[in-house]
């Protein structure tokens, strides 16, 4: 009876060589003029671009530096995590209206009292109120919704001067990235009310208008509250912008400008059954 000789640990047989060649030439590219082909997942590397260490070797290698926490691949995971948290937390919210406006509006101002009434009246329609979670108009709308027993949502943003989520929010999140936060506003709102505000409010307003104008979302009713505040902007839009053909004649009709709290609420909730 003949006993087949087993290969020693330091020997390579033909099967080993074929496995190794498959690792270096996966996909049937063959031998390139640039040398061997090496694949890292979907990435193809040749010649001097081939790393000295495999992905697994780098993963398991001790690394006392934390620089990797600040590199773009890690940021991608943070962004993904924010989307997952947002979708997971808001998926069961139900119909909702976003109310935008300045954090600088004080409780003794008419705009604050108007936002308070908006939040209350929207909540009494069994519709959630979503704000940026901060003070001013946001606090007023959240307070109105919370006192009416409704869903009062605050989607905050990590900023050096922000004061955190206001005390009237009963569902709150804080985001690192503006674009993730704005996705949540637009994905989960069936209407928008915009009260007086600065650059952040204008950013949110034109984000909504752009998505509706370009048909990236179904038409979302948008009400701008306080005619005196918004009229100058829309005089320019209906004049200089429209007259030069930079928007269509129909685009300004994407918004309703009003001084009536009830009309603003009716417009913002008009698409909610």
């Amino acid at each position: 009876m003949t006993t087949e000789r087993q290969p020693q640990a330091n020997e390579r047989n033909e099967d080993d060589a074929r496995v190794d060649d498959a690792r270096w030439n996966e996909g049937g590219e063959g031998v390139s003029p640039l040398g061997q082909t090496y694949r890292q997942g979907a990435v193809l590397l040749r010649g001097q671009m081939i790393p000295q260490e495999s992905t697994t070797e780098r993963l398991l290698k001790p690394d006392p530096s934390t620089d990797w926490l600040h590199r773009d691949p890690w940021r991608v995971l943070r962004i993904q995590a924010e989307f997952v948290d947002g979708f997971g937390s808001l998926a069961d919210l139900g119909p909702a209206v976003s109310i935008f406006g300045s954090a600088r509006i004080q409780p003794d101002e008419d705009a604050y009292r108007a936002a308070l009434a908006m939040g209350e009246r929207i909540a009494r329609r069994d519709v959630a109120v979503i704000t940026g979670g901060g003070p001013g108009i946001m606090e007023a709308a959240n307070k109105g919704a919370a006192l009416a027993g409704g869903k009062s949502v605050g989607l905050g943003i990590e900023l050096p001067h922000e004061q955190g989520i206001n005390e009237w929010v009963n569902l709150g999140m804080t985001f690192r990235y503006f674009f993730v936060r704005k996705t949540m506003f637009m994905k989960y709102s069936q209407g928008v009310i915009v009260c007086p505000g600065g650059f952040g409010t204008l950013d949110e307003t034109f984000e909504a208008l752009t998505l509706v104008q370009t048909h990236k979302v179904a038409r979302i009713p948008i009400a701008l509250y306080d005619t005196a505040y918004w009229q100058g902007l829309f005089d320019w839009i209906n004049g200089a912008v429209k007259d030069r053909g930079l928007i269509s004649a129909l685009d300004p009709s994407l918004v309703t400008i009003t001084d009536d709290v009830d009309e603003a609420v009716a417009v913002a909730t008009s698409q909610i059954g």
Side-chain angles (χ1 to χ4, degrees), residues 81-172:
E82 287 205 347
F83 276 115
V84 170
D85 287 343
F87 294 156
S89 298
L90 301 174
D92 296 324
L93 184 62
V97 166
S98 284
I99 299 180
F100 301 134
S102 176
R104 303 184 185 193
I105 297 292
Q106 300 301 311
D108 61 351
E109 295 185 53
D110 288 342
Y112 187 100
R113 290 187 284 270
L116 182 72
M118 291 171 192
E120 177 187 0
R121 292 172 197 184
I122 291 169
R124 292 197 185 283
R125 297 181 181 218
D126 199 24
V127 175
V129 171
I130 305 176
T131 79
I137 292 293
M138 297 171 279
E139 176 188 283
N142 285 135
K143 181 177 180 179
L147 291 177
K151 297 174 183 177
S152 177
V153 182
L155 305 180
I157 187 71
E158 179 186 307
L159 293 173
H161 59 273
E162 279 295 325
Q163 301 165 341
I165 301 293
N166 70 67
E167 63 183 349
W168 298 102
V169 167
N170 52 37
L171 173 57

Side-chain angles (χ1 to χ4, degrees), residues 24 36 72 95 99 139 169 173 176 185 187 220 222 235 253-254 268:
W24 285 85
Q36 290 179 306
D72 286 343
I99 299 180
E139 176 188 283
V169 167
M173 296 184 66
R176 287 174 179 261
F185 280 131
K187 180 173 176 62
I220 295 177
I222 302 170
D235 287 344
S253 66
L254 295 174

